[in-house]
């Protein structure tokens, strides 16, 4: 592991080919990216669920999800407030030869949201670092960053008829149900437990404005 990384990154370094199968081709990561990027096989599956149309990846980070969306969706918009992450995401997309299929935007999602329209909004916001796993139940009202889960959902549902949220494995399912019921009329909700190598990794919640045909 390069000396530039802290000891905290050691366990993630061992998983680098799970995060990006083409890691050795020059993938770039900042420290936060190591514990926040979606493992490639999970991102691949999530992209297959959102195939077609326009997808907005609102907290793209180093680009793990955006790269997979670009291989299955007509248009992909990747947003991050951190210019370094946008640079890394664009670079990593070029390794997978999809950088020309993604519109990268450096900016605050919440400021951009009123001007955005898409078929799907994908939300994988910062979970607050690895410490999220130390609590019994993850509270979306107090632990999600940069805003709470309710603010995130309300912004996203004005943009698209489908909202996908990638969340910690210990997220409160009752709060997910509250989100779907808070819409008028209520949105349909499908919650998927995501396993990797036999271990529960995270939860993906699929919200749809129209339940016909499923999410």
């Amino acid at each position: 592991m390069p000396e530039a990384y802290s000891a905290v990154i050691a366990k993630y370094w061992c998983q680098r080919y799970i995060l990006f199968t083409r890691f050795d081709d020059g993938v770039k990561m900042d420290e936060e990216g190591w514990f926040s990027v979606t493992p490639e096989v999970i991102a691949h599956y999530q992209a297959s669920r959102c195939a077609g149309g326009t997808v907005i990846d609102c907290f793209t980070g180093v680009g793990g999800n955006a790269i997979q969306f670009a291989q299955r969706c007509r248009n992909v918009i990747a947003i991050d407030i951190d210019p370094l992450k946008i640079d890394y995401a664009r670079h990593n997309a070029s390794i997978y030869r999809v950088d020309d299929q993604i519109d990268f935007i450096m900016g605050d999602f919440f400021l951009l949201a009123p001007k955005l329209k898409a078929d799907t909004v994908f939300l994988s916001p910062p979970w607050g670092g690895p410490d999220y796993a130390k609590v019994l139940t993850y509270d979306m009202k107090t632990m999600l960053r940069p805003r709470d889960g309710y603010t995130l959902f309300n912004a996203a549902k004005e943009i698209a008829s489908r909202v996908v949220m990638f969340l910690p494995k210990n997220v409160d399912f009752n709060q997910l149900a509250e989100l779907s019921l808070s819409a008028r009329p209520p949105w349909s909700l499908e919650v998927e437990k995501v396993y990797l190598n036999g271990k529960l990794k995270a939860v993906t919640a699929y919200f749809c404005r129209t339940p016909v045909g499923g999410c």
Side-chain angles (χ1 to χ4, degrees), residues 115-152:
K115 300 177 182 178
L116 298 173
K117 288 297 176 186
D119 299 290
T120 301
V121 169
F122 180 79
L123 300 167
S124 182
W127 297 351
D131 287 348
Y132 76 86
K134 296 179 181 179
V135 299
L136 181 62
T137 303
Y138 187 92
D139 187 347
M140 290 195 299
K141 292 181 178 178
T142 61
M143 300 179 72
L144 268 184
R145 298 291 182 269
R147 307 277 185 91
D148 65 272
Y150 294 77
T151 301
L152 278 172

Side-chain angles (χ1 to χ4, degrees), residues 32-33 35-38 46 56-62 65 69 79-81 85 108-110 121-130 132 138-156 163-171 176 179 201-205 207:
E32 184 180 10
F35 53 77
S36 62
V37 68
T38 305
Q46 290 170 331
I56 301 176
D57 183 359
C58 302
F59 303 92
T60 198
V62 296
N65 283 101
F69 287 137
I79 300 170
D80 206 285
I81 199 168
K85 286 183 172 62
D108 185 330
F109 163 67
F110 294 99
V121 169
F122 180 79
L123 300 167
S124 182
W127 297 351
Y132 76 86
Y138 187 92
D139 187 347
M140 290 195 299
K141 292 181 178 178
T142 61
M143 300 179 72
L144 268 184
R145 298 291 182 269
R147 307 277 185 91
D148 65 272
Y150 294 77
T151 301
L152 278 172
F153 179 74
N154 285 332
V163 175
V164 180
M165 300 181 76
F166 189 49
L167 298 162
K169 60 186 177 183
N170 51 345
V171 69
L176 294 177
L179 288 183
K201 177 73 175 177
V203 165
T204 307
F207 299 90

Side-chain angles (χ1 to χ4, degrees), residues 17-203:
Y17 301 116
I18 294 175
L19 302 179
F20 288 98
T21 57
R22 301 187 63 177
F23 183 87
D24 287 346
D25 290 340
V27 166
K28 292 184 178 181
M29 307 263 277
D30 64 350
E31 186 155 316
E32 184 180 10
W34 280 100
F35 53 77
S36 62
V37 68
T38 305
E40 188 169 302
V41 66
I42 297 175
H44 175 93
Y45 173 75
Q46 290 170 331
S48 72
R49 290 288 310 265
C50 302
T54 298
V55 176
I56 301 176
D57 183 359
C58 302
F59 303 92
T60 198
V62 296
N65 283 101
I67 288 168
Q68 297 302 317
F69 287 137
Q71 298 178 47
R72 289 160 190 82
C73 301
R74 186 168 61 250
N75 299 302
V76 180
I77 299 170
I79 300 170
D80 206 285
I81 199 168
D82 184 342
L84 181 63
K85 286 183 172 62
I86 287 291
D87 286 345
Y88 284 0
R90 183 181 285 109
H91 169 82
N92 294 338
S94 71
I95 291 174
Y96 286 79
R97 298 182 179 179
V98 294
D99 53 310
D100 60 343
Q101 298 167 236
I102 304 171
D103 292 321
F104 293 97
I105 299 176
M106 194 277 288
D108 185 330
F109 163 67
F110 294 99
L111 297 179
L112 296 168
K115 300 177 182 178
L116 298 173
K117 288 297 176 186
D119 299 290
T120 301
V121 169
F122 180 79
L123 300 167
S124 182
W127 297 351
D131 287 348
Y132 76 86
K134 296 179 181 179
V135 299
L136 181 62
T137 303
Y138 187 92
D139 187 347
M140 290 195 299
K141 292 181 178 178
T142 61
M143 300 179 72
L144 268 184
R145 298 291 182 269
R147 307 277 185 91
D148 65 272
Y150 294 77
T151 301
L152 278 172
F153 179 74
N154 285 332
K157 70 182 177 65
E158 299 303 317
I159 299 170
S161 59
R162 176 167 54 189
V163 175
V164 180
M165 300 181 76
F166 189 49
L167 298 162
K169 60 186 177 183
N170 51 345
V171 69
D172 187 339
F173 281 24
N174 288 327
Q175 289 185 335
L176 294 177
E178 286 177 8
L179 288 183
S180 66
L181 293 172
S182 69
R184 292 291 181 270
W187 283 29
S188 66
L189 168 63
E190 177 188 351
V191 179
E192 247 179 9
K193 292 184 177 180
V194 181
Y195 287 83
L196 187 64
N197 297 327
K199 296 182 179 180
L200 181 60
K201 177 73 175 177
V203 165

